[in-house]
Amino acid sequence: SGMSPSCFGYPLSIFFIVINEFCERFSYYGMRAVLVLYFKFFLHWDDNLSTAIYHTFVALCYLTPILGAIIADSWLGKFKTIISLSIVYTIGQAIMAVSSINDLTDYNRDGIPDNIPLHIGLSMIGLILIAFGTGGIKPCVSAFGGDQFEEEQEKQRNRFFSLFYLSVNAGSLLSTIITPILRGEECGIHTKQQCYPLAFGVPAALMAVSLMVFILGSKMYKKAHPQGNIMLQVSKCIGFAVKNRFQHRRKQFPKREHWLDWASEKYDKRLITQTKMVLRVLFLYIPLPMFWALFDQQGSRWTLQATTMDGNFGAIQIQPDQMQTVNPILIVVMVPIVDAVVYPLIKKCHFNFTPLRKITVGMFLASLAFVAAALVQVQIDKTLPNFPKEGQSQIKVINLGTDVAKVDIGPGVENMSVESLMAHIFIFRKHATFSSLFFNVPFSLLLFQCNNNRLELRYVEDIQPNTVHMAWQIPQYFIMTCGEVVFSVTGLAFSYSQAPSNMKSVLQAGWLLTVAVGNIIVLIVAGASKLSEQCILIAYYISSVYYTVMVQGRTIIDKPHSLLFASFLCVYYTVHTDQIFWVLY
C-alpha cells in the first residue's frame, strides 16, 4: 500500500476512520438507547425479560469480535472485513426499523399489533445481524486506525486512540439525545403511537452513511495483508505444548522456563514468543469483566431506575432513556481534560501512572458509582407504593357509606365486612374474580351509599407521582464516567501496543470479549432470584483487590492456587453477604 497523505502530522486516512466510527456509534447507541423500552412497551415484556434480552444482545455484540478478528487477520484483511460486515450491520438496522412498525400487523386498526410473534421474530433477526455486524467490525476499526501510523509515531497513535474514543462518545451523545426524542413523537397510518420506526430508522440511515464514508477513504488507507489463520496456529501451538508437557511430566525430564517452551519441538520460536505475549495480556484481562458488568447496566437497570424518578427539569421534561446522555456528555468533556491536564500533572508529581494502574483506578471508581446508585435506590424505595408480589393483586376497599359493607371478592379470598368510614386491603391470586382489573398494580375501590339497591363504586390507582428527581443519578454517572475514561481508553491503547503485529485484531477482540463476559455476569446475577443485586458489588471489589495485587507484581500469576483461593472468596462473599455496609467496608 502507498503512503497516506498527512495532516498536522497525522495520516489523512484516520479522519475517514474517525468519521466512520462516529456514524457507526450513533447508529449502535441510538438503537440501544430505546431498546429496553421497546421491549417493555411495544413487545410488552416485563422488566426482567427486557433486561435479560438486552444484556444477551450486548453480550453477543462483544462475543462476535473474535469472529471478526479471525476473518480480518486470517482471511479478508481488516479493510474488506469492515466493508462486508458493515453491509450486514445496515441490513440488520433496517429490519429492526421494520419490526417496530405498529401498522404492519394492526389488521383491526385498534392501535395494538395483532401478530406480536412476527414483530418479535423480525426484532430477533435484526438484533442478531446487528450483533454480528457491530461485533465483527469492532476490533478491526480501531486496529485498522492504528495500522495507519508508522512505528515512530507512537505519540500520535496514542492521541488517535483518544480521538477515536472521543468520536465514539460524540456519536453516543447525539444519538442518545435524538433517538428518545424521535421515539416520543407520534406516528402511524391508522393510529398514532410512539414512533419506534423513526427511532430505529435514523440509526439505520446513519449506518449506511458510515459505510459510504469508509469507502470514500479507500485509496488513502494503508492496508496490511492477512497473514494466514494465526488463531488456528496459536491454538495448535498451545495444544501441542500442553500435550508434550503432559507426556514429559516425569522428574527425569528437565524443566523449561515456560510451559509454552514445550512446543519448541514443532513450532518456531517467534510463534511461541508471540503466543506468550498474547496469553500474558489475556491473563491480565481475567478480572476486567466485572467493570463491564457494572458499566453496561447504565442502559438497563439505571434506565429502569430512571422510570421511577421525576424527570421534570423546569422547562424540559427528560425521558428515562435520555439520562444515558450524561455519560457521553461527560466523556466528551473529560477525555481532552484528562489527556491534556490530568495525566501531565500526575507525571510532574513523579508518579508512574502505568496503564495497568489506570485500569485498576477505573475499576474502583466504577464500584463507587454503584454504591451511589444503591443509595439513590434506597431513597426511591421509600417513595414507592407497597406493590403486591408476583402472581398477586391488591385492592384497598374504602367504605364511605354510613352502613357496614360486606365485600365478597370471589373464590380463594376471605370475605370481609368493612365498617363505615374504614378501609381494608385484600391480597389475592390472579385467578380471583376481578380478572379484568390490572394486576401487580395497587388500586382502591371507593364504596358509596347504596341508592335503590344499586351500589356506587369507583376504583382509582394508588400510585403517587415520582418524587425523587433524576438529577440524583448524575453523581453515579459522573463517577462511572471517571472510571471509564481511565479504564477504557487505556485498555484500547494497551491492547494494541502489547499485541504482536499479526495479532492486533485478535487482542482487540480479547479486550472486547471482557465486555461480553461482563454482560453474561449480569444475566446470571439477574436470574439468580436468591441473590441481592448488591452481591455483584462484593464480587467486584474482591476482583478489584485481586487485580491490584497483580499490578503490584505479586507472584499470584505464577501460583494458580492463589487464583483459585481468590475465586473461592469471590463466590463465598457473593452468596453469604448482601448488605451495602459490607461493600463499603
Side-chain angles (χ1 to χ4, degrees):
S1 300
M3 292 290 293
S4 172
S6 63
C7 179
F8 301 110
Y10 294 86
L12 189 61
S13 56
I14 68 160
F15 295 101
F16 287 91
I17 295 170
V18 167
I19 294 169
N20 159 266
E21 184 67 10
F22 168 82
C23 295
E24 188 273 327
R25 292 290 86 186
F26 185 107
S27 176
Y28 174 74
Y29 284 110
M31 177 275 301
R32 209 175 88 167
V34 299
L35 190 60
V36 74
L37 298 184
Y38 169 73
F39 290 155
K40 183 174 182 178
F41 297 114
F42 189 91
L43 300 182
H44 305 294
W45 291 346
D46 62 25
D47 285 0
N48 286 333
L49 181 58
S50 299
T51 299
I53 299 299
Y54 174 89
H55 284 287
T56 301
F57 165 69
V58 175
L60 187 59
C61 287
Y62 288 93
L63 282 170
T64 48
I66 292 291
L67 178 63
I70 293 171
I71 293 172
D73 284 347
S74 308
W75 180 29
L76 292 179
K78 298 183 190 74
F79 176 75
K80 289 182 180 177
T81 301
I82 294 169
I83 295 290
S84 304
L85 292 178
S86 291
I87 294 170
V88 173
Y89 191 170
T90 307
I91 293 170
Q93 288 280 34
I95 292 174
M96 197 67 200
V98 171
S99 75
S100 63
I101 298 175
N102 186 73
D103 294 310
L104 190 66
T105 61
D106 186 13
Y107 307 122
N108 56 8
R109 302 184 180 182
D110 63 351
I112 301 172
D114 297 316
N115 192 351
I116 287 291
L118 175 63
H119 291 274
I120 293 173
L122 287 173
S123 299
M124 294 305 103
I125 292 170
L127 290 175
I128 289 169
L129 291 177
I130 291 168
F132 275 95
T134 188
I137 68 175
K138 270 179 193 297
C140 303
V141 177
S142 56
F144 189 64
D147 288 346
Q148 306 307 306
F149 296 87
E150 303 297 333
E151 288 296 325
E152 63 274 9
Q153 292 182 299
E154 184 178 353
K155 183 180 178 182
Q156 289 92 333
R157 184 188 292 117
N158 288 335
R159 285 279 174 86
F160 160 73
F161 281 115
S162 291
L163 181 63
F164 183 85
Y165 204 73
L166 198 62
S167 72
V168 168
N169 285 280
S172 171
L173 168 60
L174 288 178
S175 63
T176 46
I177 292 173
I178 293 170
T179 52
I181 294 173
L182 298 177
R183 173 190 62 79
E185 296 294 318
E186 290 190 344
C187 63
I189 300 172
H190 307 305
T191 57
K192 299 299 180 183
Q193 305 287 337
Q194 286 196 324
C195 205
Y196 287 104
L198 188 59
F200 289 134
V202 169
L206 261 291
M207 189 57 224
V209 171
S210 172
L211 177 59
M212 289 187 287
V213 168
F214 187 74
I215 293 172
L216 282 175
S218 175
K219 293 182 180 179
M220 300 181 192
Y221 299 138
K222 186 192 294 183
K223 302 168 189 172
H225 296 289
Q227 301 179 26
N229 196 336
I230 192 67
M231 280 293 289
L232 183 61
Q233 294 176 41
V234 169
S235 301
K236 286 181 176 180
C237 178
I238 293 171
F240 182 80
V242 172
K243 178 183 174 183
N244 199 27
R245 176 68 184 90
F246 182 77
Q247 290 175 346
H248 298 83
R249 63 187 182 278
R250 295 175 184 174
K251 290 184 178 179
Q252 64 263 33
F253 297 105
K255 289 185 177 181
R256 300 189 182 182
E257 185 179 349
H258 192 281
W259 63 270
L260 270 173
D261 292 331
W262 288 94
S264 58
E265 282 87 343
K266 186 174 180 180
Y267 296 94
D268 63 80
K269 191 175 181 180
R270 181 171 177 268
L271 177 63
I272 293 171
T273 303
Q274 291 177 338
T275 305
K276 287 178 184 178
M277 291 170 64
V278 169
L279 290 182
R280 192 177 298 118
V281 177
L282 291 179
F283 195 89
L284 292 174
Y285 286 174
I286 290 174
L288 303 191
M290 297 308 300
F291 175 88
W292 301 112
L294 300 186
F295 179 83
D296 277 331
Q297 290 189 66
Q298 291 179 88
S300 58
R301 291 297 184 189
W302 284 15
T303 299
L304 293 173
Q305 183 187 59
T307 63
T308 61
M309 302 176 78
D310 179 14
N312 184 10
F313 283 78
I316 303 173
Q317 182 68 32
I318 298 295
Q319 299 297 320
D321 42 355
Q322 285 181 312
M323 276 305 291
Q324 298 173 56
T325 59
V326 175
N327 174 256
I329 288 171
L330 291 173
I331 283 285
V332 169
V333 172
M334 291 176 64
V335 165
I337 293 174
V338 169
D339 201 35
V341 179
V342 177
Y343 287 160
L345 281 176
I346 292 173
K347 191 175 181 181
K348 283 185 178 181
C349 294
H350 305 291
F351 179 74
N352 187 17
F353 203 28
T354 63
L356 294 182
R357 286 176 178 169
K358 292 176 185 176
I359 290 171
T360 305
V361 170
M363 294 180 73
F364 276 110
L365 287 172
S367 65
L368 291 177
F370 255 70
V371 172
L375 294 175
V376 171
Q377 189 61 45
V378 168
Q379 297 305 313
I380 292 172
D381 290 344
K382 292 177 181 178
T383 67
L384 294 177
N386 184 22
F387 287 100
K389 297 177 182 178
E390 185 177 356
Q392 295 182 336
S393 191
Q394 171 182 305
I395 292 180
K396 183 192 296 179
V397 178
I398 303 173
N399 184 6
L400 301 179
T402 57
D403 299 324
V404 175
K406 292 185 177 181
V407 183
D408 181 4
I409 297 294
V413 183
E414 183 182 355
N415 296 333
M416 275 290 184
S417 295
V418 184
E419 298 291 334
S420 175
L421 302 178
M422 296 292 288
H424 186 81
I425 296 177
F426 294 87
I427 300 288
F428 56 89
R429 305 299 299 175
K430 282 191 175 183
H431 60 261
T433 306
F434 282 85
S435 58
S436 62
L437 298 177
F438 295 102
F439 287 99
N440 296 326
V441 176
F443 56 87
S444 297
L445 287 181
L446 303 183
L447 306 181
F448 296 90
Q449 184 68 40
C450 290
N451 293 317
N452 299 324
N453 293 325
R454 187 175 179 181
L455 180 68
E456 292 185 44
L457 182 146
R458 187 187 314 153
Y459 77 89
V460 293
E461 293 185 2
D462 288 341
I463 301 179
Q464 301 300 317
N466 300 329
T467 56
V468 179
H469 203 273
M470 280 187 196
W472 285 107
Q473 281 196 322
I474 293 176
Q476 67 201 52
Y477 275 102
F478 175 76
I479 299 169
M480 181 66 81
T481 304
C482 291
E484 182 189 0
V485 169
V486 295
F487 181 93
S488 195
V489 177
T490 305
L492 277 173
F494 180 75
S495 298
Y496 186 89
S497 65
Q498 297 298 307
S501 59
N502 58 343
M503 297 187 192
K504 299 293 186 185
S505 295
V506 171
L507 207 50
Q508 290 286 328
W511 168 260
L512 295 168
L513 188 63
T514 64
V515 185
V517 177
N519 280 272
I520 292 169
I521 290 170
V522 176
L523 287 173
I524 294 169
V525 172
S529 57
K530 292 183 180 180
L531 296 178
S532 164
E533 289 193 16
Q534 308 303 336
C535 292
I536 194 169
L537 283 167
I538 306 294
Y540 181 87
Y541 259 104
I542 293 170
S543 294
S544 298
V545 173
Y546 159 61
Y547 192 77
T548 305
V549 172
M550 289 168 54
V551 170
Q552 296 302 323
R554 305 290 183 183
T555 56
I556 192 168
I557 296 175
D558 300 318
K559 296 183 178 180
H561 61 272
S562 300
L563 176 58
L564 291 174
F565 180 67
S567 302
F568 168 76
L569 284 177
C570 181
V571 173
Y572 178 84
Y573 281 107
T574 301
V575 172
H576 289 85
T577 56
D578 61 354
Q579 300 299 320
I580 194 68
F581 169 80
W582 294 109
V583 178
L584 292 169
Y585 175 79

